[in-house]
Amino acid sequence: MAGGTAWLVTDWTLHRHGEGHAHDHAPTDLHAWMHEHLDITPEQHEKLEPLEAEFEKLRVTLKDEVRLADVSLAQTIRDPQMNEAAMNEALERLNKAQGALQRATLEHFFVMKRYLRPAQAAKLLEWTHDSLTRD
């Protein structure tokens, strides 16, 4: 469950979400979505842009950690000498990496929310909610 949620919130939400509703699958990113659907002012853009750049660096690092943990788990499972303790350790590493990515993503949403007007913030939170609860 945690892995699916982390994947949804990070990869799909930030890079594949389209047209402002969780069930649309047109490729776009959060930055483009925000400008298209939230009517971001130039002043807001100026404040949000450095946050976006900083988060993108962190997101790439955390996604790499998830990918490495995935590979480690796959190798552990394939090992003929695998035991339950090794599998649990590899799975825990993956869950920890996914959780860190999910937490960072959600924290980023709440940081951005501070710079939005109430109606914009409500739209962003609705979009985030819909993304998390889609099938």
Side-chain angles (χ1 to χ4, degrees):
M1 179 71 170
T5 302
W7 171 259
L8 174 66
V9 169
T10 56
D11 190 66
W12 186 82
T13 300
L14 293 177
H15 295 284
R16 295 192 181 126
H17 191 73
E19 297 309 311
H21 192 272
H23 296 286
D24 297 327
H25 297 283
T28 190
D29 64 13
L30 179 61
H31 183 82
W33 181 88
M34 286 178 56
H35 281 277
E36 187 174 333
H37 296 278
L38 297 184
D39 192 30
I40 299 294
T41 66
E43 294 80 19
Q44 288 173 315
H45 175 80
E46 187 176 314
K47 291 176 182 172
L48 292 170
E49 192 63 30
L51 299 173
E52 288 296 308
E54 181 181 328
F55 176 70
E56 182 59 18
K57 289 178 193 173
L58 177 60
R59 187 190 70 78
V60 167
T61 299
L62 293 173
K63 280 194 66 136
D64 284 345
E65 290 179 24
V66 170
R67 185 185 52 76
L68 291 172
D70 262 338
V71 169
S72 177
L73 178 60
Q75 290 171 338
T76 300
I77 290 171
R78 195 167 208 185
D79 183 350
Q81 305 300 316
M82 180 193 75
N83 59 49
E84 191 172 342
M87 187 206 54
N88 286 337
E89 184 178 318
L91 187 58
E92 181 62 29
R93 177 181 174 197
L94 175 59
N95 288 337
K96 194 173 185 180
Q98 290 170 326
L101 182 55
Q102 182 179 24
R103 177 177 298 282
T105 302
L106 291 173
E107 287 173 354
H108 177 61
F109 284 145
F110 285 102
V111 167
M112 289 188 312
K113 182 181 165 217
R114 293 180 204 152
Y115 298 98
L116 301 176
R117 294 184 307 272
Q120 292 171 313
K123 227 178 194 185
L124 177 64
L125 292 178
E126 178 183 342
W127 179 80
T128 305
H129 170 272
D130 289 352
S131 296
L132 286 168
T133 58
R134 83 165 178 87
D135 293 332

